[in-house]
Amino acid sequence: GDYGGQYRPQVHYSAPQHFMSDPNGIFRDNNGTWHLYYQYNPLGLGFGNQHWGHATSKDLYHWTNQPIALGPPSKSVALFSGSAVVDKNNTSGLFPGQDNGVVAIFTLAGKDPDGGYGGPQTQALAYSHDGGFTYQLYQHNPVINSTSTNFRDPRVMAYKDHWVMVIAYSRDYTVGIFTSRNLINWTHASNFSLTGLLGAQWECPNLIHMPYYDQKGQKQDNIWTLFVNINPGGPLGGAVVQYYPGSFNGTHFEPVDSAARSIDSAKDFYAMQFFNNVGPGTDVESPVSIAWASNWQYTQLVPTAQEGWRSSMSLPREHFMTKVKGAGWKLVSRPYNLDRMVSETLVVEKNLTKEVVAVEFSGVESKAIYWEIHLTGIPDREPRSLSLNVSFVSPSTAENVRLGYVFGAVDFDLFGGDTPFFLDRGGAKGFDHTFFTQRFSVSSPHDNGTWSVSGVLDRSILEVFIDGGIETMTSTYYTKEPISVALFSLSPDLPKGMNVDLRVVGLHGV
Ligand code: FRU
């Protein structure tokens, strides 16, 4: 693939060409190689003809594209989303003498006579003797049969002495929990349903054992967290990911409360999946996820088609749970090991004032930057009119993508106003569509007089981590001309004792 092109992200993964959507079957193998499969149409720039594309990486940033790993076994089905596990102890019997056999379990989506996907959705298995590069279909598929047309996205994991699968009964707002000893024979154990946001469909569930650090940063017992993706019907339109902290005993999941908690407060974060073979008890202590950085509302219309590709993944993120004053449980999300991608320091400003700091970064080869802003000494009584403003600008057209924080702001609506934290992609003029909402806001109260915001700007995607990753915003944007200047400022003057640090660095590309 050609990874040039104004819109092509350099730090985020995208398929060499054609249409990509959900991450599928992601796992870390026994040698520490990360495998990313993904929903892929090898023939077109829109959804259809779904296969599993494949890429591998040693660091989750530099990817090697691999041949397509799995395709539909017949013309009457497509290969939808699913997961993969390493069957180290050969519980399946498919890998005599091997400890690196890989089992992929996914949905075969039946087509209806008009070529749509109105047929039954069944769960099928494929296995790999070469560590996940090539697969054979299991002879006795499906491993879970069904007549339902909305039963999909099995996500399998190891739990003590057995395997657990979470799977969506999409139109019933239900996650089914199945158990197995051998990955082949599955028993329905329980359902979790009708909690939090319902939207129109539930998709791509994940159940993850999460590290928990309390407000003081002390490590506490891990907490199980169930993730459910909704599309359509998210609060901002289209897709959203929600999660439920709770307890899990190997067969049943019980949420701690009935709140709906969503992960991202912009519109390009969906079908989030966690890597298998990672997390508490492995040599990568934090769960690591990747999501599809797009939204079904407009993914098939975005102008990256000019460059022969559509959709990138989110950054790889590491996670833990915490508790936040007022809001209770929160998922924390941070870019995974981004440090190793830093190519050059552009600005380190120890004391940002109302002067505008302009960072011209057209000299950074990738045109991708990371920036972070740390505030300390914020007075208890917030300076009402004070605002922090960040603007990414295309100098030739004056197009921009902006974000900022307005101190002491009380009212906001989800789609904007400049309060209290906001992101606005309306100044980018390369794509116009009703559902391509321009402005997003989220409340981000701060504690102890400190607050921070950081992010990665990568050609056509901006990923923002607010207050250490307690909130995130992932937003694609399409300018007519490339962005190459970042402006940082505060207005009006800072109150006494308040300090703002800024760091901007360039990032290595692919
Ligand atoms: C989520 C989803 C899944 C399905 C896949 C098909 O984006 O709708 O439920 O398996 O996409 O591509």
Side-chain angles (χ1 to χ4, degrees):
D2 171 10
Y3 282 84
Q6 176 188 334
Y7 296 137
R8 180 74 94 159
Q10 301 296 298
V11 186
H12 295 75
Y13 179 76
S14 57
Q17 53 179 354
H18 296 135
F19 182 75
M20 180 188 84
S21 47
D22 310 3
N24 288 154
I26 61 182
F27 77 99
R28 184 167 179 271
D29 72 19
N30 299 350
N31 308 317
T33 297
W34 303 84
H35 290 256
L36 168 65
Y37 308 92
Y38 50 85
Q39 282 289 286
Y40 188 48
N41 178 358
L43 300 177
L45 284 158
F47 171 81
N49 190 33
Q50 296 304 99
H51 287 59
W52 277 26
H54 185 204
T56 53
S57 176
K58 284 282 175 200
D59 63 4
L60 289 168
Y61 293 98
H62 296 90
W63 291 96
T64 305
N65 287 311
Q66 304 289 350
I68 289 176
L70 279 161
S74 84
K75 282 201 165 27
S76 63
V77 292
L79 202 81
F80 272 16
S81 288
S83 55
V85 290
V86 180
D87 187 13
K88 282 184 189 139
N89 301 321
N90 189 26
T91 61
S92 63
L94 296 164
F95 310 106
Q98 258 189 286
D99 67 356
N100 67 340
V102 184
V103 165
I105 299 188
F106 44 84
T107 301
L108 291 180
K111 292 188 189 166
D112 52 35
D114 350 318
Y117 293 93
Q121 301 194 336
T122 63
Q123 316 315 317
L125 187 154
Y127 55 103
S128 171
H129 285 292
D130 62 2
F133 292 89
T134 60
Y135 284 87
Q136 278 165 271
L137 276 178
Y138 178 60
Q139 296 85 330
H140 308 293
N141 278 330
V143 290
I144 303 181
N145 206 357
S146 167
T147 53
S148 170
T149 55
N150 283 286
F151 176 48
R152 61 178 176 274
D153 309 337
R155 207 281 178 178
V156 177
M157 62 165 181
Y159 179 90
K160 296 186 179 163
D161 63 346
H162 64 277
W163 301 99
V164 171
M165 174 197 291
V166 286
I167 183 165
Y169 295 93
S170 302
R171 299 279 163 96
D172 299 320
Y173 314 112
T174 296
V175 172
I177 299 178
F178 287 71
T179 57
S180 175
R181 300 234 165 233
N182 61 5
L183 294 164
I184 292 165
N185 302 108
W186 290 93
T187 308
H188 179 261
S190 68
N191 281 335
F192 169 81
S193 64
L194 296 169
T195 306
L197 292 174
L198 305 185
Q201 300 187 95
W202 280 13
E203 301 182 318
C204 303
N206 277 226
L207 178 59
I208 303 298
H209 212 192
M210 282 288 188
Y212 162 35
Y213 292 88
D214 67 16
Q215 276 142 307
K216 296 195 187 94
Q218 296 293 313
K219 194 164 182 346
Q220 304 292 339
D221 286 346
N222 298 333
I223 178 161
W224 286 95
T225 307
L226 179 65
F227 294 80
V228 173
N229 291 254
I230 293 176
N231 180 69
L236 300 175
V240 76
V241 191
Q242 69 175 326
Y243 61 98
Y244 312 87
S247 54
F248 180 63
N249 62 7
T251 54
H252 290 70
F253 177 78
E254 207 50 63
V256 291
D257 58 28
S258 57
R261 297 176 170 87
S262 63
I263 294 179
D264 206 86
S265 302
K267 282 186 78 165
D268 296 291
F269 191 82
Y270 194 60
M272 180 193 205
Q273 187 166 118
F274 286 82
F275 281 90
N276 258 318
N277 270 4
V278 171
T282 73
D283 55 348
V284 179
E285 191 49 32
S286 305
V288 179
S289 75
I290 286 189
W292 174 47
S294 192
N295 191 310
W296 280 113
Q297 285 186 325
Y298 46 75
T299 190
Q300 307 188 81
L301 302 167
V302 296
T304 60
Q306 301 159 19
E307 298 172 5
W309 63 279
R310 275 210 177 106
S311 306
S312 83
M313 294 300 177
S314 72
L315 292 171
R317 294 179 176 186
E318 62 181 330
H319 303 275
F320 60 88
M321 296 293 288
T322 192
K323 275 187 189 166
V324 169
K325 209 159 90 188
W329 288 103
K330 281 279 190 184
L331 176 80
V332 180
S333 307
R334 295 181 177 163
Y336 180 75
N337 265 351
L338 189 64
D339 290 354
R340 66 178 68 181
M341 292 300 285
V342 173
S343 61
E344 62 222 83
T345 296
L346 299 169
V347 162
V348 177
E349 184 81 42
K350 275 289 166 215
N351 219 323
L352 193 68
T353 60
K354 78 172 191 212
E355 247 41 55
V356 176
V357 174
V359 185
E360 209 277 337
F361 58 91
S362 57
V364 175
E365 206 186 329
S366 67
K367 310 285 188 288
I369 57 169
Y370 169 80
W371 48 275
E372 58 184 25
I373 302 167
H374 292 273
L375 287 70
T376 52
I378 306 169
D380 282 349
R381 283 198 52 191
E382 288 200 345
R384 272 262 158 168
S385 54
L386 183 69
S387 66
L388 165 72
N389 304 294
V390 180
S391 190
F392 302 105
V393 183
S394 159
S396 54
T397 55
E399 291 170 282
N400 60 75
V401 176
R402 301 187 306 128
L403 54 92
Y405 190 81
V406 182
F407 289 83
V410 276
D411 32 78
F412 75 104
D413 69 76
L414 294 175
F415 286 115
D418 280 356
T419 62
F421 182 85
F422 71 95
L423 187 157
D424 188 344
R425 63 182 173 182
K429 301 297 181 199
F431 180 56
D432 187 19
H433 186 270
T434 332
F435 289 141
F436 198 67
T437 315
Q438 300 180 350
R439 295 153 74 89
F440 310 101
S441 284
V442 69
S443 163
S444 177
H446 46 79
D447 239 350
N448 312 321
T450 64
W451 187 81
S452 71
V453 60
S454 64
V456 169
L457 183 89
D458 187 9
R459 293 191 182 205
S460 63
I461 177 168
L462 173 60
E463 209 161 327
V464 183
F465 300 85
I466 303 154
D467 207 10
I470 286 171
E471 304 289 347
T472 69
M473 283 190 186
T474 305
S475 191
T476 56
Y477 60 88
Y478 304 101
T479 45
K480 289 185 170 155
E481 294 296 327
I483 284 176
S484 61
V485 175
L487 304 173
F488 301 86
S489 68
L490 286 141
S491 70
D493 277 321
L494 280 188
K496 261 214 173 66
M498 192 169 153
N499 194 73
V500 180
D501 289 351
L502 166 71
R503 184 167 85 106
V504 187
V505 297
L507 296 173
H508 285 295
V510 284

